[in-house]
Each structure stands twice: as structure tokens, then as C-alpha cells.
Amino acid sequence: MNLEIDRNRLTEEIEELAGISDAEPPAITRIVFSLADLRARAWLIARCEKAGLAIRQDPVGNIFARWAGVEPNAAAVGTGAHIDAIPNAGKYDGVVGVLGGLEAIRALQRCGARPKHSIELLLFTSEEPTRFGIGCLGSRLLSGTMTPDAARKLTDKDGASLEEVRRKAGYSAPLEEVKLPSGYYKAFVELHIEQGPLLEQQKVPLGVVTSIAAPASFRITVEGAGGHAGAVLMPERRDALCAAAELILAIENAARSSGAVDTVATVGICDVFPGAVNSIPSRVRLTLDIRDTDLARRDAAMRAIETARETIAAKRQVAISEELVNADAPALCAPEIVEALSQACAKHGLASMKMVSRAYHDSLFMSRIAPVAMLFIPCRNGYSHRPDEYASPEDIARGALVLAETLASLAG
Ligand code: GLV
Ligand code: MN
Ligand code: MN
């Protein structure tokens, strides 16, 4: 099999997709079911159809593009990622896995032989939590990790429900139809930029992921007392923002003092009400994102934050409530898929190293219903979730090549 990746076309497609965005270049913003996301989906579907793939879309907007195998009823081999992008993001996160996956399939088609098992490219809906506050919405529903009832309760910041938003986007069948039957996938492999610096630092072109860290997230509300910024004297204050500031530092401290660098915690949103120069903040809404490669250590950090929350609330006479959004277990990649990826690297004379994914991915949830593993390529300085995220065309093409080789070996 003479596998060849069309690097120029892949690079051009990444650039073209980057042009469908709601941010000033080089930044990318593509929030799920926004006009930009819908245009990007249509663009991708046209490309998949041009490659002769059969398209199916499920009620939450996950898109399946299938190259039917010789045994079309046998379990498929899946690959794919997401094209939604957080505000002010880069152009490679998720996209490399989707367009690299498409190019891997096209490279296999060019070789002439049809695989025994179908190969399916998947575009997951809302891997990013921006709109509905929870990441990996599509794969949570596909895998049955989230129930349709829980999904129906989701709303965006303008109060629009997932139900309304998906219907407006043209997806109206019941969410009950999203969950995949067991055994649907024989294997699932996701190509992604590393989003960390290790491959670049160690000058290794490819990373084979053996596990994915456990994410959790919360919505926190601090309620104090508002009032006039000149008239209310300091001893009388119950400033919600000052309490939130203390809590944010306690969160940072809980992660820093967990005993391992693998514990990370981030407050990424801080919404101050009423948000006026001369008004004491009466309410603050925060988000907390906390992760670790070790579940027990992450949960211990969560308990330390809980204690800090109670102490700060009592000391500052404010109410601090929290709502758990998600607390997921880590994923262990399947040894046979890890081996298939490592072998594919070796077959093409490419060095690889085993590594942990600290970011979450749809593979975390696909691992609940299928054997999975991931392939990482380097990204400059490890930057991701920022406009200067960059992966070279050579690295992307190498990733697509190894992905194609792996899909071929898994699909038979
Ligand atoms: C995915 O985007 C993550 O936040 O890990
Ligand atoms: Mn991301
Ligand atoms: Mn991603």
C-alpha cells in the first residue's frame, strides 16, 4: 500500500475552514450552532460528499461520514474530532482531527483497496463548553454518559435551550436517538494537536496517548450585598467580588498544593453584577474547571476547595453556592489501539512516545463504548486555545499518514 497524504490540499482546507469564523484573523471563534458553525458544517459535508462518503446526522448534530467497507454491517472503525472553537481560539484544535481524518480516508481510497470494516469520520457537536457550559456534548450523548433528559435542561447564556437551538439549526428528532448501539465501533482513533509542549521539547514527531485526564467543572455563585461605592463604609461591606477573589486564590492554592503538577484548576469566567464603577458588587458568577490525571487527587482538591468556600463564606458573610456541571473519570486507552498506532509510526520510520492527554477530548467519552486511542502531533510552544496556536503542515501530514495507516490496519 503506497499511502500518500495530499499535504497541500490538507493545508488549504485548514486555511479555508479558518476563514469561516466569527473573530478577526488569526483568531478563530466558532461557537456551536452559530452561523459560522453551521456554515463550517455545510462546508465539511460538501467535502465529505465529494470524497464519496455517505452522510448521516444525528439529532444533536453529530455528523457521520462513512466509507462503506466490504462488510458494511460489521462494526465500523471511527475517527474524527470537532470544529467548534472557543472564543479567540486558534485554527488547529479539533480541525486537524477532522480534516486530517478526511484526508486519511482519501489517501486510503487512492490506494484502491476497500477495507473490510467501514471507516467513519465523525464530527462531534460542541466539544467545547462555551455555549452550553459542558464540554463534549455530542460524545456524552453518543456514549450514553449524559441522558437526553439532562441534555434537555441545558441552556445558553441568553436562556435559549439546547432543544430550541438545535431545532433552529435543523436537528429536531428526539435526543433519545443519539446514543449509539453497543458494538457500533470496533475502534475509535482521534488525531489532535498536543496542546502541550512535550513533543516539541523532546523533538519527537508523534505522541501516542495512553490515558486522558479526568475533568470536572462547577458553576459557582457568590452573593453578598451591593450598595453605594462612596457611602457604604468598609466594615459594613459584604462585597461579592472580594469574596470571589479570595475563593479564586484558594482554588489556585488547592491545585498548587495537591502534591503533583498534574492537578490544574482554572476560573475562566467571572461575571460581576451589577458591574458599575460606583456600585459594590452584589453577585459574582464564576466557573471552575479542575482536572487531574489521578481521580482521587482531583477529588481531594475539590474537597479542599469546598472547605475554603465554607470558610470564606462565613468570614465574609456572603453566600457561596456551587453547582456541579460534570465530574468525569479518566479514560484508559485500549492497549491494542495504542499498539496499532505505535506500529504505524514505526512502519513509516517515525519516532513516537507514549503520553497522557491533559486536555479532554471526545475520545474520553468514546472510550466508554469502544476501544480508543489518540495520536498527538506537536504544536508550537505547546500553545492552544489562543490565536497563535500553530502546527506545521509537515507535522499535520505526518499525523494524517499515521492515522491512515492505523485505520487501514484496524479496518482490515
Ligand atoms: C478541551 O478543549 C479542553 O478544554 O480540554
Ligand atoms: Mn479545545
Ligand atoms: Mn480539541
Side-chain angles (χ1 to χ4, degrees):
M1 193 170 53
N2 185 25
L3 266 177
E4 266 179 48
I5 295 299
D6 186 339
R7 190 170 85 193
N8 291 340
R9 175 161 56 168
L10 181 50
T11 308
E12 276 164 27
E13 285 178 338
I14 290 170
E15 291 304 319
E16 214 177 304
L17 182 52
I20 311 176
S21 154
D22 280 321
E24 270 301 298
I28 306 290
T29 300
R30 210 182 293 119
I31 309 299
V32 68
F33 297 145
S34 63
L35 227 54
D37 182 50
L38 295 176
R39 279 179 52 216
R41 286 162 173 267
W43 176 90
L44 178 75
I45 288 172
R47 291 230 139 19
C48 291
E49 282 174 339
K50 201 161 169 215
L53 308 183
I55 304 290
R56 169 174 87 85
Q57 301 192 61
D58 75 14
V60 78
N62 292 310
I63 300 173
F64 304 75
R66 178 175 279 234
W67 182 27
V70 176
E71 293 179 13
N73 295 326
V77 173
T79 189
H82 62 101
I83 58 168
D84 64 324
I86 66 164
N88 207 37
K91 60 176 98 143
Y92 303 94
D93 175 6
V95 166
V96 160
V98 174
L99 294 179
L102 174 58
E103 178 52 27
I105 293 175
R106 288 187 303 221
L108 290 167
Q109 290 173 332
R110 286 193 290 274
C111 288
R114 216 160 120 217
K116 188 165 130 202
H117 294 259
S118 301
I119 298 181
E120 195 162 76
L121 179 70
L122 240 167
L123 174 88
F124 294 99
T125 288
S126 198
E127 191 266 356
E128 301 291 6
T130 314
R131 185 156 192 176
F132 293 107
I134 186 161
C136 299
L137 185 54
S139 53
R140 282 178 192 274
L141 284 162
L142 280 179
S143 60
T145 313
M146 177 185 258
T147 62
D149 277 344
R152 279 189 280 268
K153 293 200 182 99
L154 295 172
T155 54
D156 68 12
K157 69 173 174 8
D158 301 320
S161 68
L162 171 65
E163 287 302 86
E164 282 170 68
V165 172
R166 76 179 176 97
R167 290 209 166 102
K168 230 180 180 167
Y171 301 103
S172 53
L175 290 178
E176 276 69 13
E177 291 172 20
V178 175
K179 189 172 180 307
L180 290 174
S182 68
Y184 182 93
Y185 283 118
K186 174 179 187 271
F188 186 82
V189 191
E190 182 173 355
L191 171 66
H192 208 281
I193 57 169
E194 181 198 343
Q195 304 183 287
L198 298 182
L199 292 171
E200 187 183 61
Q201 279 168 6
Q202 299 187 28
K203 298 190 171 42
V204 177
L206 294 156
V208 177
V209 174
T210 52
S211 65
I212 304 174
S217 67
F218 295 83
R219 286 188 205 100
I220 300 174
T221 305
V222 183
E223 284 177 280
H228 195 287
V232 182
L233 297 180
M234 300 313 280
E236 310 307 322
R237 293 208 180 187
R238 292 166 52 226
D239 184 321
L241 183 57
C242 291
E246 228 179 285
L247 181 59
I248 292 168
L249 292 177
I251 288 168
E252 182 189 45
N253 186 49
R256 281 188 189 275
S257 59
S258 77
V261 291
D262 305 287
T263 321
V264 287
T266 307
V267 174
I269 293 179
C270 178
D271 233 2
V272 181
F273 181 84
V277 172
N278 53 354
S279 177
I280 299 162
S282 60
R283 189 185 68 222
V284 172
R285 292 208 165 104
L286 306 174
T287 56
L288 164 62
D289 176 310
I290 179 164
R291 316 176 188 206
D292 202 314
T293 50
D294 182 274
L295 188 61
R297 200 169 46 218
R298 183 202 69 191
D299 290 350
M302 278 165 34
R303 285 194 296 277
I305 292 168
E306 181 65 30
T307 306
R309 171 172 83 94
E310 286 163 10
T311 310
I312 294 163
K315 188 178 83 181
R316 289 188 166 269
Q317 301 275 289
V318 297
I320 311 180
S321 58
E322 66 178 29
E323 185 193 338
L324 178 70
V325 177
N326 64 293
D328 303 295
L332 278 184
C333 293
E336 67 275 19
I337 319 281
V338 168
E339 185 55 25
L341 280 163
S342 304
Q343 296 260 338
C345 294
K347 188 164 173 187
H348 289 273
L350 296 165
S352 65
M353 62 188 249
K354 305 241 168 83
M355 58 198 309
V356 168
S357 172
R358 294 173 186 281
Y360 58 68
H361 302 280
D362 292 299
S363 288
L364 178 67
F365 299 99
M366 294 310 280
S367 78
R368 316 297 196 223
I369 53 163
V372 307
M374 293 185 70
L375 181 66
F376 277 176
I377 58 164
C379 54
R380 191 162 62 200
N381 299 324
Y383 291 166
S384 185
H385 283 186
R386 44 189 280 179
D388 52 356
E389 178 180 274
Y390 177 76
S392 74
E394 296 75 22
D395 283 329
I396 296 169
R398 263 194 286 274
L401 177 69
V402 170
L403 177 64
E405 187 68 53
T406 308
L407 293 175
S409 82
L410 294 168

